[in-house]
Amino acid sequence: LPNRSASDLLGIDLVADIERPLSVAVPEFGRLLDELRETSHSVVQREVEITRGGNTKTFLVRVSTEQGDDADVGYIATFDD
């Protein structure tokens, strides 16, 4: 579930993209999601550059798995500017 601060920092309306995969709404996060799926680690962290409207920002992004009873049920992405 996105929050307004995340939308403001990324320069997109994440609420409007709620039904879309995160890797589609924020393509720059896709590599981290792929890396997390391909590894046995539960957290992946990298610096990611995002350009919107001619402005580039660098974020420290952490993606982790959300655990259910027996399997991963989703992902949590957090980031700092």
Side-chain angles (χ1 to χ4, degrees), residues 26-71:
V26 188
E28 297 87 350
F29 288 3
R31 192 178 116 233
L32 285 122
L33 289 165
D34 291 342
E35 186 177 338
L36 187 61
R37 289 181 193 116
E38 295 169 1
T39 183
S40 60
H41 301 287
S42 61
V43 176
V44 174
Q45 177 174 293
R46 300 275 180 271
E47 281 191 0
V48 174
E49 285 189 351
I50 295 178
T51 302
R52 299 283 186 277
N55 296 317
T56 300
K57 296 180 182 179
T58 302
F59 296 98
L60 180 62
V61 182
R62 288 173 302 282
V63 180
S64 59
T65 56
E66 183 178 1
Q67 300 290 314
D69 291 334
D70 296 322

